[in-house]
Amino acid sequence: MINIRRSEERGGGNHGWLKTHHTFSFSEFYDPAWMGFRSLRVINEDWVAGGQGFPAHPHRDMEIITYLLEGGIEHKDSLGTTSIIRPGDGQRMSAGRGIRHSEMNPSPTEAAHLLQIWITPDKTGHTPSYEQKAFPEEEKRGKLRLIASPDGKDGSVTIHQDAKLYVSLLSPEQEVKHELAKGRHAWLQIARGSVELNGQKLVQGDGAAISEESALSLKGAEDAEVLLFDLA
């Protein structure tokens, strides 16, 4: 069963310094049919204007992944971490029992385009932590590259949940396949371009909740970048 969440159905708005689309209910946007999917709670697509961003604020008991599509974001947190997140990076912050952080666009002129992803952890009260790694384009071109997992497999960043996040870059007609184990679910998010998921076309901003499917076929309809979550 594949349930498609079309881009135009998302919430959000334009706040001047921030243009945002919410796949699931978030902030002032409420859609009882889309409160999340399995452990996946938030997918926000954000465009942050140059020199703007999210000042220091608290989080707790959430696995937060920032995936950059264009530009950069400067991350600072109460653990003492300072880093610039760039396209191609795998980054996660485990908020655990409490952390404060800011996410600002360091460029005075260039907008940053990103996906902000929240995953509920396997339990509350984890020790807060931060991890960031670079994943070269060639590792994702025509392949499903694991960038986040519960055990850090294949050099991925580690999250506190039985969930795996893969990223793929696809050219037109290029195809990748993924097998879903019995009882597993998946979410596909189209970050750029368009693909066919088991013969159904999805375009930029679309998502798809997948259950009771054993095999997934992703074929590029045009140059595309996709995120695939394998979920318990």
Side-chain angles (χ1 to χ4, degrees):
M1 180 174 63
I2 297 175
N3 187 9
I4 297 176
R5 172 67 151 166
R6 293 297 181 187
S7 174
E8 61 270 18
E9 298 170 352
R10 297 178 295 175
N14 192 335
H15 307 286
W17 67 274
L18 172 68
K19 178 184 175 184
T20 183
H21 295 307
H22 307 322
T23 293
F24 304 123
S25 294
F26 185 86
S27 186
E28 297 176 359
F29 171 63
Y30 176 69
D31 184 343
W34 293 98
M35 298 300 294
F37 181 69
R38 311 301 293 179
S39 60
L40 189 55
R41 178 60 188 87
V42 167
I43 300 179
N44 291 346
E45 184 177 12
D46 294 339
W47 290 261
V48 180
Q52 302 295 315
F54 304 92
H57 57 283
H59 285 289
R60 65 180 302 128
D61 296 322
M62 195 65 69
E63 304 293 295
I64 300 174
I65 295 170
T66 302
Y67 188 80
L68 262 290
L69 296 166
E70 294 176 327
I73 287 290
E74 183 177 26
H75 168 95
K76 294 182 179 180
D77 63 43
S78 52
L79 301 175
T81 309
T82 299
S83 70
I84 303 290
I85 309 165
R86 298 290 185 188
D89 289 348
Q91 178 266 11
R92 65 91 183 146
M93 182 181 71
S94 296
R97 57 179 176 263
I99 194 170
R100 291 182 62 82
H101 75 122
S102 63
E103 309 289 338
M104 307 296 294
N105 185 348
S107 170
T109 57
E110 181 184 10
H113 182 196
L114 61 123
L115 294 176
Q116 184 79 192
I117 298 156
W118 293 7
I119 296 174
T120 56
D122 53 7
K123 66 177 183 179
T124 60
H126 282 291
T127 300
S129 61
Y130 182 88
E131 189 178 12
Q132 181 176 336
K133 295 182 179 180
F135 297 93
E137 179 177 328
E138 58 267 23
E139 295 183 5
K140 296 174 283 188
R141 177 64 59 188
K143 308 169 188 174
L144 284 168
R145 177 53 163 110
L146 183 67
I147 69 166
S149 69
D151 56 5
K153 184 178 179 181
D154 296 332
S156 58
V157 300
T158 305
I159 57 175
H160 297 295
Q161 182 52 267
D162 184 6
K164 297 177 181 179
L165 169 57
Y166 299 86
V167 174
S168 185
L169 301 172
L170 295 172
S171 301
E173 297 302 314
Q174 198 168 35
E175 184 179 16
V176 292
K177 296 184 178 182
H178 183 71
E179 300 294 325
L180 276 180
K182 186 175 181 179
R184 301 288 294 185
H185 307 260
W187 180 275
L188 179 68
Q189 188 70 29
I190 312 304
R192 273 195 274 239
S194 61
V195 302
E196 290 183 2
L197 166 62
N198 289 9
Q200 298 188 57
K201 188 173 182 180
L202 287 86
V203 302
Q204 194 276 334
D206 287 354
I210 305 160
S211 297
E212 299 175 3
E213 299 278 345
S214 60
L216 305 181
S217 167
L218 306 177
K219 181 185 290 187
E222 57 183 312
D223 287 331
E225 185 168 6
V226 301
L227 283 71
L228 178 65
F229 299 83
D230 187 318
L231 306 164

